[in-house]
Amino acid sequence: SVPSLASSDEFLQCLREKIPSELVYTQSSGNFTDVLASSIKNPKFFTTSTARPVCIVTPSDASHVQAAVLCGRKLGVRLRVRSGGHDYEGLSYRSACPYEVFGVVDLASLRSISVDRPDSTAWVDSGATIGELYYAVAKNDSQAAFPAGECPTIGVGGHFSGGGLGMIMRKHGLSIDKVVDARMVNADGDLLDRAGMGEDLFWAIRGGGGGSFGVVLSWKVQLVQVPPAVTVFSIAKTLDQCAIDILMKWQDVAPSLPADLTVRVKVQGQQAVFMALYLGTCSSLVSTMGDRFPELNMTSADCRSMTWLESAALSFTDMSSTGTVEDALLSRASGMSIATKGKSDYVRSPISKNAWKKIFSWFAMNGSGLIMLEPHGGFMDTVPADATPYPHRSGVLYVIQYIVFWQGDGGAASTSWLAKFYDFMGHHVSKNPRQAYVNFRDLDIGQNVPVNGNVSSTFESGKAWGERYFMGNYQRLASVKAAVDPTDYFRHEQSVPPLLQRS
Ligand code: FDA
């Protein structure tokens, strides 16, 4: 049924009875807009036509999340969950349907991190950022680290819900590969840990995409060891400097280099930038590169030695550093000046030289953005495709992330370029299904269809995106969903639909 405005009034009343009023912001609260905007990354989802929540609840305790879920279920108002607000489609705080009545549970105040050094584990709340996590872990033990993504303002909650890939995944896997326990509130408002939720649900929340199974409040993670110093480099090659030949060699070697070494590539304009993180010293990096990848001509002059924490504070698009580690990792101001649109692909067979030549011609066009190529292999190859919902494991050479960006209203040229380029790339990437990464969320590949102001979701229609994000794991995710949330309370444009058994 379509929640009416009356039910939203009753919903707010219900929240006020159970949650301290200073933690509930309604559209008439003076600072509603500031709280809504606080972690929005993408200005295209902060406009006068964006569907806004009727309220934002900012819990300071698990009981507030439980109360919000119970009020929402009782009164037919859905909740969207926000941790860091970096969702590429803004699904943690906006609805694609202009009529949907929904509330937001914003976990930004639930952000504590406690590290258990003897045990080499940590509990981290979903509202913490990955920058805060890196900082807490490495300040506790300078040789401890955690595998996750590259932009420090990403929220732990959404990031872990979808996987969490980054510069040390070839050695240590995704964030979800190191999650050993979690606490969450399910659709019945119960607070559960791993033992309470059971292994199926625990499996599903580690990579099955945010916003489908409940509200994960905190995660217990296994920390990993890194050497006291790591080495990074960034080497740009233009077309005249044989960028294409070097890329051809990169496709061959990057997924099979020693797992301590990750060399990723950014292609933008008429150049490819090779950016590396090596968990070791400059001299052994120079020797490995000389043996395995001499075409890049990397020398000790390219090396920059630093701690792992310092490397995590480098800019994720060019490996440059500005300001202190604290400025880079602890500031929660994510800024809203640049609008973006992203997409993703996985490559299982090397892209031909001829195709690379054509790809570069796309990057000479008006509206072109960039692609980031991140090699898999190493640890990633050792994890069975069904061990977690993230299925892109053995056999994947690299993931491609496409990003276009613009300021103001000028998005048309960029988004049109991206759509056409993505069509072109379909010939050169994984097929049947064409794979995609749920954390690079893309509503173009399919969504639950709005009907009468509500959202309908079926297992069949969800295959359009579900099988691309999760491949063979989609069906198990939908079965878990049916077991834990059969009425599909936690639902958004790309949530996993319940696979209900027909009687
Ligand atoms: P946000 O709060 O927007 O949530 C994302 C989704 O998860 C929403 O559907 C939301 O409802 C749900 N959700 C959030 N918290 C939840 C919780 N506690 N329980 C249940 N559901 C929850 N990825 C990557 O793997 N490696 C990388 O290097 C990068 N780099 C990167 C850079 C930049 C600039 C951006 C904008 C994004 C990335 N990403 C990435 C993608 C990122 O991992 C993805 O957007 C995450 O979902 C963001 O998590 P947030 O908590 O910030 O998002």
Side-chain angles (χ1 to χ4, degrees), residues 81 83-88 92 150 155 158-159 165 211 214 216 437 439 441:
V81 195
S83 291
H86 279 43
D87 191 275
Y88 273 18
S92 51
E150 277 103 53
H159 193 57
L165 58 82
V216 183
Y437 175 35
N439 263 351
R441 198 191 295 286

Side-chain angles (χ1 to χ4, degrees), residues 39 41 80-88 90-93 107 126-128 130 148-151 153-166 174 209-219 264 316 340 374 401 437-441 492:
S39 67
K41 180 83 183 151
R80 291 183 184 241
V81 195
R82 181 164 78 171
S83 291
H86 279 43
D87 191 275
Y88 273 18
L91 300 188
S92 51
Y93 53 85
L107 298 175
S126 283
I130 59 169
E150 277 103 53
C151 167
T153 46
I154 294 172
V156 161
H159 193 57
F160 288 14
S161 293
L165 58 82
L174 305 173
S212 288
F213 301 98
V215 185
V216 183
L217 298 179
S218 46
W219 313 75
R264 66 169 171 162
F316 68 100
T340 58
E374 308 218 34
Q401 183 182 185
Y437 175 35
V438 66
N439 263 351
F440 298 152
R441 198 191 295 286
H492 59 65

Side-chain angles (χ1 to χ4, degrees), residues 260-277:
D260 289 332
L261 174 57
T262 295
V263 183
R264 66 169 171 162
V265 187
K266 178 179 73 171
V267 175
Q268 186 175 20
Q270 296 299 291
Q271 69 172 16
V273 186
F274 296 81
M275 293 174 273
L277 172 66

Side-chain angles (χ1 to χ4, degrees), residues 117-148:
R117 187 166 176 171
D119 198 31
S120 207
T121 57
W123 272 101
V124 54
D125 285 348
S126 283
T129 63
I130 59 169
E132 290 167 347
L133 176 59
Y134 292 157
Y135 191 81
V137 165
K139 283 291 164 185
N140 195 278
D141 172 356
S142 62
Q143 291 188 51
F146 189 71

